[in-house]
């Protein structure tokens, strides 16, 4: 098993990096939507701001979960796995609607994160010797 200098398996490093990147992108996109909503002429100001807030808060939550994976904290595995499972149907919908530039990277990121988090080294690090 390849591991980092902090005793963290490389698989958790990969998973944390993917989640942090997803979170950062969500924060940036949420901020962009918020700014565009405020300086543009939105048809529905409240909805635009709600979408922006959801993006920023959701991205911040992903970054927090990535921090938990980075520090090998047991609680972080559940939200990280659930987030990636929910990302897959979103990505497939994007691909089916010919949004390949968004859908394909999201599928790749979700699959890489899931494989990394469910790898035996990650499971052992997060859940202990017996996996419970």
């Amino acid at each position: 098993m390849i591991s980092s200098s902090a005793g963290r398996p490389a698989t958790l490093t990969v998973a944390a990096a993917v989640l942090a990147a997803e979170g950062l992108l969500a924060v940036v996109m949420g901020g962009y939507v918020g700014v565009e909503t405020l300086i543009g002429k939105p048809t529905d100001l409240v909805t635009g701001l709600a979408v922006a807030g959801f993006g920023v808060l959701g991205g911040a939550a992903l970054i927090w979960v990535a921090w938990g994976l980075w520090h090998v904290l047991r609680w972080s595995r559940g939200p990280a796995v659930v987030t990636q499972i929910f990302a897959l149907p979103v990505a497939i919908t994007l691909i089916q609607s010919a949004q390949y530039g968004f859908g394909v990277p999201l599928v790749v990121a979700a699959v890489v994160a899931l494989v990394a988090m469910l790898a035996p080294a990650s499971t052992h690090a997060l859940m202990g010797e017996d996996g419970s």
Side-chain angles (χ1 to χ4, degrees):
M1 161 178 69
I2 301 172
S3 46
S4 69
S5 60
R8 173 186 337 96
T11 52
L12 277 182
T13 301
V14 168
V18 170
L19 261 74
E22 289 173 341
L24 182 60
L25 183 60
V27 168
V28 168
M29 293 302 293
Y32 174 78
V33 168
V35 168
E36 287 297 311
T37 298
L38 292 173
I39 66 172
K41 295 180 182 167
T43 55
D44 187 353
L45 178 66
V46 173
T47 300
L49 292 176
V51 168
F54 182 76
V56 170
L57 291 175
L62 276 174
I63 292 168
W64 180 53
V65 171
W67 179 86
L69 288 175
W70 182 260
H71 290 283
V72 195
L73 300 176
R74 187 178 190 158
W75 63 262
S76 61
R77 185 178 186 196
V81 169
V82 169
T83 303
Q84 300 315 304
I85 289 171
F86 283 138
L88 289 172
V90 171
I92 291 167
T93 301
L94 287 168
I95 291 168
Q96 289 173 340
S97 59
Q99 298 292 320
Y100 304 110
F102 296 109
V104 172
L106 185 55
V107 165
V108 171
V111 168
V112 167
L114 280 170
V115 168
M117 284 182 290
L118 299 175
S122 295
T123 300
H124 176 72
L126 289 169
M127 306 308 279
E129 195 70 42
D130 60 359
S132 61

